[in-house]
C-alpha cells in the first residue's frame, strides 16, 4: 500500500544540512513502518552555485534561493531549518505562519526571550489543512540506542534516586589560532560559543535521561583567543563569545550536576560524555563509543563480579532503534542518530502523539543556557527561570523486537 507523501524543504546545506539531508534520504530504507514516504523536495539557500551542487550531491529534487516562494507552495509539508543560530527563530516563525510543520537545529534561539516568542507562535500555528503544526529540535544524541536505553533504565528506577550528573562535551578545533572567525564565534550570530553549541546538548541529555529540570547554576567562562583572522582574509575579527564555559547546577530533586563545554581540549574531537549516579547504580555514555553503555548496579550479589559493565546496546530485540539496521552488534554511527530522530518525528506526526524535544524543550534548554551564561558573566549563582511546566519525555520508542539475521 502506498504511503502518503511528505515533501520536505530544507534551509541550509553546510554540516547540519548534510546530516539532515542524509536522514531524509535514508529514513524509509531503514524504518519500514515510517508512516510517510519522505521526499527531499527543495533545498533552500542564498548562493545559487554551491546550492545547486549541494542539492545534486545530497539528493534534493529542486533547489531555490527564494524561501518565501517555497513557503507559498501547497506541496511542501515540512520545513527544516539548518542555518546559523540567529535565524532559527525568524525562519521557524515564517514557516509556521505559512502553515508548515517545522524542525529546527539547536540551540532553538539566541536567548530565552526569542525562544518564548517562537513557542507562542508554534502553539497557535495550524497547517493549511487546519491541523496543529508539529515542531521539533534536532537534539539527535538522545536517539543513540545506548543513550535511549540509559533513559529507559533510569525511568524504570534501575538507578534509584538521582544524586549526580557529570557531563562534558570536549572539542579542540579552536586551539588552532589560524582557524578563522565565523558565525560560531560572534555573539550576534550564535548567542554564545561552546556553551550554546555544546552545553546545549548536555542540558538536553540531562533533561532527557533524568526527567529533572534545573533549579540554579553557577559558572565560569573564558575566551582564550580574542581575535581571529577574518574568513575573507581581510583583517581580524573580535571573538566575543566563550571558547569554554563550565557550570555547576542544582537539579529539581536536589541532585548536584557539573557541565563542561569547550573547544580547546587538545586531542578531544567530539567527546560528548555523561555520567548519572543514583542511589542504586550509575550509567555512563560517551558519544565516541556511542554504541556502548557503561552500567553499574549496587544490587549485584556476587561481590567479585561487582563493577561497571559494558553493554553493547545493539541487540535489536531489546535496544531501541538497533533492530532497524543490521544484525546484533553491527554498530551504527553519528548519521543514524538523525535518522532515528526523524523516524520518531514522522511517527508522532501521523499518530498525534507527542514528539520530544519540541520547542518547549528548546525553550527550557535556552533558559538554562541563559542562566549559566549570566552566572558566568556576573560570577554569581543564578536561579533558572522556568516559565513552563513540562512533563518528562518518554524514554524512547520501543525496540524493534527483532534481530535481522
Ligand atoms: C560543532 O561544534 C558541532 O558541529 C555542533 O554544532 C554539533 O551540534 C555537534 O553535534 C558536533 O559539533
Amino acid at each position: 500500500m502506498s504511503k502518503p507523501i511528505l515533501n520536505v524543504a530544507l534551509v541550509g546545506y553546510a554540516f547540519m544540512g548534510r546530516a539532515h539531508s542524509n536522514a531524509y534520504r535514508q529514513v524509509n530504507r531503514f524504518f519500514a513502518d515510517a508512516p510517510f514516504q519522505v521526499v527531499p523536495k527543495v533545498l533552500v539557500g542564498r548562493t545559487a552555485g554551491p546550492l545547486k551542487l549541494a542539492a545534486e550531491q545530497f539528493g534534493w529534487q529542486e533547489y531555490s534561493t527564494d524561501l518565501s516562494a517555497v513557503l507559498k507552495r501547497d506541496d511542501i509539508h515540512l520545513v527544516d531549518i539548518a542555518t546559523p543560530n540567529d535565524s532559527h527563530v525568524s525562519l521557524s516563525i515564517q514557516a509556521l505562519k505559512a502553515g508548515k510543520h517545522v524542525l529546527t537545529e539547536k540551540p532553538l534561539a539566541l536567548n530565552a526571550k526569542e525562544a518564548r516568542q517562537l513557542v507562542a507562535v508554534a502553539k497557535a500555528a495550524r497547517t493549511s489543512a487546519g491541523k496543529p503544526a508539529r515542531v521539533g529540535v534536532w537534539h539527535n544524541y538522545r536517539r543513540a540506542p545506548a543513550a535511549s536505553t540509559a533513559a529507559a533504565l533510569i525511568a524504570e528506577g534501575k538507578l534509584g534516586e538521582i544524586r549526580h550528573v557529570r557531563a562534558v562535551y570536549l572539542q579542540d578545533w579552536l586551539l588552532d589560532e589560524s582557524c578563522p572567525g565565523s558565525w560560531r564565534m560572534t555573539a550576534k550570530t550564535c548567542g554564545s560559543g561552546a556553551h550554546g553549541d555544546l552545553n546545549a546538548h548536555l542540558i538536553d541529555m540531562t533533561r532527557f535521561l533524568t526527567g529533572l529540570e534545573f533549579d540554579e547554576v553557577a559558572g565560569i567562562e573564558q575566551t582564550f583567543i580574542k581575535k581571529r583572522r577574518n574568513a575573507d582574509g581581510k583583517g581580524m575579527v573580535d571573538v566575543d563569545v566563550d571558547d569554554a564555559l563550565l557550570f555547576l547546577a542544582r537539579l529539581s530533586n536536589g541532585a548536584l550536576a557539573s557541565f563542561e563545554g569547550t573547544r580547546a581540549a587538545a586531542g578531544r574531537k567530539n567527546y560528548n560524555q555523561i555520567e548519572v549516579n543514583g542511589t542504586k547504580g550509575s550509567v555512563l555514555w560517551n558519544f565516541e563509543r556511542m554504541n556502548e553503555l557503561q552500567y553499574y548496579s549496587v544490587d549485584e550479589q556476587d561481590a567479585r563480579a561487582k563493577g561497571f559493565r559494558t553493554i553493547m546496546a545493539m541487540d535489536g530485540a531489546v535496544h531501541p532503534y538497533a533492530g532497524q539496521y543490521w544484525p546484533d552488534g553491527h554498530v551504527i554511527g553519528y548519521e543514524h542518530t538523525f535518522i532515528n530522530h526523524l523516524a520518531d518525528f514522522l511517527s508522532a506526526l501521523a499518530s498525534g502523539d507527542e514528539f520530544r524535544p519540541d520547542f518547549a524543550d528548546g525553550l527550557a534548554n535556552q533558559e538554562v543556557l541563559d542562566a549559566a551564561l549570566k552566572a558566568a558573566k556576573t560570577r554569581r549563582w543564578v536561579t533558572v527561570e522556568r516559565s513552563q511546566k513540562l512533563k518528562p519525555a518518554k524514554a524512547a520508542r520501543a525496540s524493534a523486537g527483532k534481530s535481522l539475521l
Side-chain angles (χ1 to χ4, degrees):
M1 205 179 67
S2 66
K3 299 178 178 184
I5 298 284
L6 188 90
N7 286 325
V8 183
L10 169 67
V11 192
Y13 54 93
F15 174 21
M16 282 306 116
R18 179 192 286 255
H20 298 188
S21 296
N22 180 63
Y24 295 118
R25 296 261 301 182
Q26 302 286 0
V27 71
N28 287 111
R29 295 184 185 149
F30 288 107
F31 286 79
D33 64 346
F36 299 96
Q37 183 60 44
V38 174
V39 180
K41 195 78 183 168
V42 196
L43 186 63
V44 182
R46 279 189 294 215
T47 321
L51 175 65
K52 177 174 186 287
L53 291 178
E56 281 165 10
Q57 190 193 354
F58 301 165
W60 291 84
Q61 288 184 356
E62 304 167 33
Y63 66 92
S64 171
T65 54
D66 186 348
L67 177 61
S68 305
V70 171
L71 292 180
K72 282 198 189 110
R73 286 171 56 165
D74 288 337
D75 66 334
I76 298 298
H77 308 111
L78 168 66
V79 174
D80 184 356
I81 315 291
T83 55
N85 304 351
D86 59 336
S87 51
H88 292 174
V89 167
S90 58
L91 296 182
S92 297
I93 289 180
Q94 223 182 309
L96 286 166
K97 290 199 165 156
K100 311 301 181 193
H101 302 296
V102 178
L103 281 171
T104 302
E105 252 308 317
K106 46 58 60 175
L108 184 62
L110 292 178
N111 53 53
K113 191 172 166 219
E114 254 201 357
R116 270 181 217 120
Q117 216 192 322
L118 175 55
V119 167
V121 173
K123 272 193 186 141
R126 294 283 175 277
T127 64
S128 7
K131 299 224 173 95
R134 304 302 305 274
V135 296
V137 187
W138 284 96
H139 277 293
N140 54 303
Y141 294 116
R142 282 187 181 209
R143 288 178 165 93
S148 282
T149 294
L153 294 177
I154 294 172
E156 286 160 27
K158 285 244 179 340
L159 262 55
E161 183 74 15
I162 303 306
R163 296 285 196 245
H164 290 292
V165 174
R166 205 167 296 103
V168 298
Y169 199 146
L170 316 175
Q171 297 182 342
D172 71 356
W173 56 286
L174 281 191
L175 273 182
D176 178 0
E177 296 198 19
S178 68
C179 178
S182 74
W183 68 266
R184 289 177 183 274
M185 287 158 249
T186 307
K188 205 164 159 285
T189 42
C190 65
S192 62
H195 188 47
D197 192 26
L198 306 179
N199 284 336
H201 281 306
L202 301 180
I203 294 164
D204 184 69
M205 195 60 104
T206 300
R207 295 183 64 250
F208 172 58
L209 290 184
T210 66
L212 298 169
E213 298 294 346
F214 287 63
D215 275 359
E216 56 174 349
V217 291
I220 46 174
E221 62 163 347
Q222 190 66 36
T223 307
F224 301 110
I225 298 175
K226 297 193 167 55
K227 279 190 186 297
R228 291 186 177 271
R229 84 188 153 77
N230 213 333
D232 63 10
K234 292 183 197 138
M236 303 291 280
V237 283
D238 291 328
V239 176
D240 59 357
V241 296
D242 59 282
D243 287 333
L245 192 147
L246 283 58
F247 71 99
L248 298 176
R250 192 185 306 278
L251 304 182
S252 47
N253 72 338
L256 301 185
S258 69
F259 301 87
E260 179 176 5
T262 178
R263 295 157 164 176
R268 297 302 186 197
K269 302 302 171 187
N270 206 43
Y271 193 98
N272 169 7
Q273 175 169 292
I274 186 161
E275 178 170 329
V276 182
N277 311 123
T279 50
K280 290 169 130 191
S282 296
V283 290
L284 179 147
W285 179 76
N286 184 320
F287 169 70
E288 290 187 353
R289 305 195 67 100
M290 64 166 270
N291 294 293
E292 297 175 1
L293 180 65
Q294 304 282 326
Y295 170 62
Y296 176 87
S297 169
V298 300
D299 291 332
E300 170 61 59
Q301 294 305 307
D302 184 341
R304 297 164 307 170
K306 216 163 181 166
F308 271 89
R309 68 179 77 143
T310 303
I311 298 163
M312 166 55 67
M314 282 302 295
D315 175 346
V318 294
H319 295 117
Y321 311 106
Q324 304 294 336
Y325 295 95
W326 316 115
D328 297 351
H330 291 64
V331 294
I332 58 169
Y334 180 59
E335 65 272 33
H336 300 91
T337 61
F338 291 89
I339 303 172
N340 298 343
H341 198 83
L342 176 61
D344 284 353
F345 183 75
L346 298 178
S347 303
L349 199 53
S351 66
D353 289 349
E354 71 167 15
F355 176 80
R356 307 284 290 270
D358 58 13
F359 286 177
D361 290 299
L363 167 58
N365 193 312
Q366 195 71 54
E367 288 176 333
V368 181
L369 285 172
D370 281 16
L373 191 60
K374 182 171 175 198
K377 291 204 183 296
T378 58
R379 301 179 178 213
R380 287 176 193 282
W381 280 91
V382 172
T383 301
V384 177
E385 186 173 357
R386 295 217 304 261
S387 59
Q388 340 160 78
K389 266 209 171 351
L390 299 180
K391 282 191 298 199
K394 277 202 227 104
R397 73 161 48 206
S399 76
K402 62 178 190 225
S403 158
L404 295 182
L405 205 57

